[in-house]
């Protein structure tokens, strides 16, 4: 069995008219005075956001809590507030011509772990092989396998 591991960083989505648009990177401390859109409590994303602000020793002003990260990113893009979301969500919601509304969160510990376990050297069925090729091409990172496990 092989295990492929990647870690995708969380990103910040800001509005089209936001002061941080185009800055490329920000940290939780710079978001302390912002209207923060966040996931409902007891979700993985909310735990990640809480931890990022705790590490930065920054307080945030949460203005609403929604169930879906896609909704958070959409509202942030419209200028309702800022949202911290996983990279795949930002990639799906934010159009290419507004890519500068997506900022890297300067917090090395704010990672979204992803793992894919599969038969080594490759799955037997053609459908599983196709899925593995697609997953490896789309996962963040360099696409190289992680440590093999037996």
């Amino acid at each position: 069995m092989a295990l492929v591991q990647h870690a995708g960083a969380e990103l910040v989505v800001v509005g089209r008219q936001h002061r941080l648009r185009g800055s490329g990177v920000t940290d939780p401390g710079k978001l302390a005075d912002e209207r923060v859109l966040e996931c409902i409590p007891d979700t993985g994303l909310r735990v990640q956001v809480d931890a990022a602000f705790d590490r930065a020793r920054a307080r945030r002003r949460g203005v609403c809590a929604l169930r879906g990260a896609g909704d958070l990113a959409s509202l942030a893009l419209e200028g309702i507030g800022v949202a911290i979301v996983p990279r795949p969500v930002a990639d799906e919601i934010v159009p290419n011509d507004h890519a500068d509304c997506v900022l890297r969160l300067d917090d090395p510990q704010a990672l979204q772990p992803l793992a894919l376990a599969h038969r080594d050297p490759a799955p037997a069925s053609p459908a599983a092989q196709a899925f593995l090729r697609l997953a490896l091409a789309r996962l963040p990172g360099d696409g190289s396998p992680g440590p093999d496990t037996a």
Side-chain angles (χ1 to χ4, degrees):
M1 178 177 287
L3 178 66
V4 180
Q5 296 179 337
H6 296 276
E10 306 292 356
L11 301 175
V12 179
V13 178
V14 300
R16 294 173 177 97
Q17 305 300 319
H18 196 275
R19 66 180 174 81
L20 292 174
R21 181 180 182 181
S23 63
V25 64
T26 193
D27 61 72
K30 292 179 183 171
L31 301 176
D33 294 328
E34 299 291 335
R35 296 166 44 95
V36 178
L37 310 171
E38 51 196 8
C39 271
I40 59 173
D42 300 324
T43 60
L45 182 56
R46 177 68 174 265
V47 170
Q48 288 278 24
V49 171
D50 289 347
F53 277 90
D54 287 347
R55 283 189 297 275
R57 293 191 169 108
R59 297 194 63 200
R60 69 182 182 275
R61 185 169 51 127
V63 294
C64 73
L66 300 174
R67 200 171 289 282
D71 294 333
L72 296 174
S74 294
L75 290 173
L77 192 60
E78 294 303 321
I80 305 300
V82 301
I84 299 174
V85 299
R87 177 178 301 278
V89 171
D91 289 347
E92 182 178 326
I93 300 297
V94 179
N96 289 337
D97 59 336
H98 289 90
D100 58 349
C101 290
V102 178
L103 314 174
R104 183 177 55 83
L105 185 64
D106 189 15
D107 179 357
Q109 295 178 27
L111 298 175
Q112 172 194 15
L114 302 171
L116 173 63
H118 64 88
R119 181 179 295 197
D120 192 25
S125 78
Q129 289 174 11
F131 173 77
L132 181 60
R133 281 192 304 275
L134 179 64
L136 291 175
R138 303 262 330 221
L139 283 172
D142 62 6
S144 62
D148 286 349
T149 59

